[in-house]
Amino acid sequence: MSVKQPEAMLQIIELFQEDIEMVSQCILLPREEAISHIVTEILSFIQAGDST
């Protein structure tokens, strides 16, 4: 997936939104910060896979 496909990335985040929110409750950070960190890691993982 390319960075040029922001709609696709948003769809992936939306697909996993419930899971992200559930996992964020287990992280010892404020909820919004935990969700932001999870989303950032998912996008980094996707972009790293795209460059191989």
Side-chain angles (χ1 to χ4, degrees), residues 1-7 9 50:
M1 178 177 309
S2 172
V3 178
K4 298 174 186 168
Q5 297 178 350
E7 299 87 18
M9 289 190 161
D50 191 34

Side-chain angles (χ1 to χ4, degrees), residues 8-41:
M9 289 190 161
L10 286 174
Q11 288 176 343
I12 289 172
I13 298 305
E14 288 173 4
L15 178 67
F16 290 105
Q17 188 65 36
E18 272 187 48
D19 296 318
I20 291 169
E21 290 183 17
M22 188 171 51
V23 170
S24 74
Q25 295 174 3
C26 301
I27 299 174
L28 300 176
L29 291 172
R31 182 177 169 271
E32 295 81 14
E33 191 174 337
I35 289 172
S36 177
H37 183 72
I38 294 167
V39 169
T40 301
E41 289 297 318

